[in-house]
Structures are given as C-alpha cells and as structure tokens.
Amino acid sequence: MKNYKYGIFIDDEKLENIYKRKFLSVMNDFGYKDFENFYRDIIFQKDSKLIEKIIEIITVNETYFFRENYQFDALIKYVIPELDKIGPKNESINILSAPCSTGEEVYSIAIYLFEEKNFIQKRDFLLLGVDIDKQAIEKAKKGIYSERSIHKLSRNIVNKYFIKKGGFYQVKDILKNAVNFKVINVLDKYAMKKLGKFDVIFSRNMLIYFDENNKREAINNFYNILKPNGFLFLGHAETIPKDIKLFKKEKLGEAFVYRKV
Ligand SMILES: C[S@@+](CC[C@H](N)C(=O)[O-])C[C@H]1O[C@@H](n2cnc3c(N)ncnc32)[C@H](O)[C@@H]1O
C-alpha cells in the first residue's frame, strides 16, 4: 500500500502481519463491507476522518524525553553559541522538530535551553513541533506523560519541570508556554513554507519510514525553510543521499549535523 501524499508505504508482509487486524477494525468502524472500496477511499482520500484514523494507526509514534541526547548536547554546546554570535540579536532563534510525535523532543529541547540559563536569558527562542498525526499533536499539547516517556530524566529534572498526577507526569507551564505544536505533513511544501524560516531543524526517526522519493522531497522541504548555514539533525540511522549537495556534514562533539550550504 502506497500513498505519496503522506509518504506512507506499507509492504505486503507488514500489511498481513501487523496492519491487517487494525485495518479490519477501522473498516468495521467506518461501515465498509469490502476491502476494495475501503482501499480506494484511502488512496483517493475521500473521507478526512478516515484518513486521520489511518494515519493514527500506521504511524510509529515511538519517542521519549532526552532520546539521542548527545544531539541536544551538541545543540547547546556548539549550535546555539554560534547562532548567538552570528545571528541578529533582535531576532529569535527558531527551532523546528519535524516530526515531533507526542512532543517529548520539543519539550526536551526546551528543558536543555532552560538549563543553560546563559542563552534563555538573553535571546528569544521559537520552538515548534509538527507532526502528521493529529492525535499525537493533541497529546503533545496536553503534555501528560507516562513513566516510560520520562525514564531517561534525572529526578531533579522531573521535579523541576513536571507535576506528578497519579501515575502520570504533567509538564509545568514554564515548559508548555515555551513551545508550540501544529499538525503538518512534511511533504506538503506549501504548508511547510508557511511555517517560516528556521535556524535548526530536528528531523529524527521519520525518514527511515519513507521511500527514496519522499525522503528526497522532505529533505528539499527542510532545505527551503532553513536559514542560510542552518543546521539539520537527523536520527542516527538516517542520512542525506551523497548526490544531494545542499548540505555539508559536520561533527559537533558526539553528533553529526547537516549544515545548509
Ligand atoms: C518515531 S516518531 C519520531 C519522533 C521523534 N522525532 C523522535 O525521534 O523521538 C515518527 C513520527 O513521524 C511522523 N510522520 C510520519 N510521516 C509524516 C509526515 N509525512 N509528516 C509529518 N510527520 C510524519 C509520525 O506521525 C510519527 O509521530
């Protein structure tokens, strides 16, 4: 099953072993009797509620606070100081997380910035998280997380930035007020352009699910909304194809980053 608009590709094996049961249940909920009509309506995006549901069940939303945090270390130690030095002091430093899933990545960046008081006190930051999955974005906006999501955080950080409610952890207002979230398909170049220009983009653990064409399309969209010399962080299993000459790869501490040329 392939849908170019959303970058969704499911091979037959996964369709049979992982998604069949879920699809049958959605078919049933939406009153479809046969798979062909159901499949056609997904491909031709006949019903936006159906598309939302399909996106919800096939997207992999796995994420947690401080995931691959050597990249946040590089952000604080190398990237922000450089942006602070070269960028106009009256402009905000804009950071995009695309995709942000349920928000942990964006809140993690906010925590890192708050912990490095040097910058937060003298510069404005814009932190935006986008994802195609509406349910995930709603969860991000609520900012309520399970123990599993926060397992990498120290007790000190948890106490400082979260309020414990029953078995869950609610982000404090200081974090909530520092971030924004939006439902966006990264393959929609017009919607992406409308987001504005960014100094840093984190796009981690999404491109691995895209086919080659969609991966290139997404990278191109990131290029278009990055400011000159802007920074692109990818997940550890993701790379930019060698023939794309729009970025140069740099090592910053433990992390690799792609820099717009
Ligand atoms: C595994 S999560 C990664 C979250 C976070 N960046 C991290 O590394 O922890 C992948 C996310 O990509 C989102 N996604 C998949 N296709 C997308 C698209 N075309 N546009 C925006 N988000 C998409 C999914 O909804 C899912 O939440």
Side-chain angles (χ1 to χ4, degrees), residues 121-155:
Q121 277 161 3
K122 63 175 185 184
R123 296 295 303 248
D124 281 337
F125 285 89
L126 183 143
L127 296 185
L128 176 64
V130 301
D131 200 282
I132 198 170
D133 184 347
K134 193 173 168 209
Q135 288 270 109
I137 289 295
E138 275 163 15
K139 189 167 176 216
K141 285 180 177 167
K142 285 199 184 99
I144 300 173
Y145 296 100
S146 65
E147 187 83 48
R148 203 193 151 275
S149 280
I150 59 143
H151 73 278
K152 278 198 82 174
L153 303 182
S154 69
R155 277 296 122 192

Side-chain angles (χ1 to χ4, degrees), residues 192-250:
M192 288 290 279
K193 272 197 175 153
K194 275 201 205 147
L195 295 177
K197 293 278 184 190
F198 293 87
D199 299 282
V200 186
I201 297 177
F202 282 83
S203 181
R204 309 189 308 166
N205 306 306
M206 172 187 68
L207 297 180
I208 34 169
Y209 299 105
F210 283 4
D211 70 6
E212 192 59 26
N213 282 338
N214 284 322
K215 178 173 159 178
R216 285 169 182 268
E217 189 116 4
I219 291 169
N220 212 39
N221 289 346
F222 293 144
Y223 178 83
N224 287 332
I225 63 169
L226 265 177
K227 293 186 192 169
N229 298 311
F231 297 83
L232 173 64
F233 285 96
L234 300 179
H236 71 275
E238 296 164 327
T239 52
I240 292 187
K242 285 223 163 56
D243 62 300
I244 297 183
K245 306 287 182 207
L246 302 172
F247 297 89
K248 73 176 188 298
K249 196 173 180 181
E250 283 178 11

Side-chain angles (χ1 to χ4, degrees), residues 6 59-63 67 99 105 131-132 185-186 204-205:
Y6 300 104
T59 47
V60 179
N61 297 125
E62 163 71 6
T63 188
R67 182 180 195 180
E105 188 169 283
D131 200 282
I132 198 170
N185 175 3
V186 299
R204 309 189 308 166
N205 306 306

Side-chain angles (χ1 to χ4, degrees), residues 68-80:
E68 294 176 44
N69 62 350
Y70 56 90
Q71 295 190 329
F72 304 133
D73 291 331
L75 175 77
I76 294 298
K77 197 161 171 203
Y78 305 102
V79 174
I80 302 289

Side-chain angles (χ1 to χ4, degrees), residues 9 17 25 35 38-40 44 48 56 74-75 100 105-106 120 183 198 202 209 221 223 231-232 244 247:
F9 171 73
N17 297 333
S25 142
F35 189 76
F38 175 65
Y39 183 75
R40 195 199 49 225
F44 292 106
S48 60
E56 185 192 320
L75 175 77
C100 66
E105 188 169 283
V106 189
I120 208 84
V183 178
F198 293 87
F202 282 83
Y209 299 105
N221 289 346
Y223 178 83
F231 297 83
L232 173 64
I244 297 183
F247 297 89

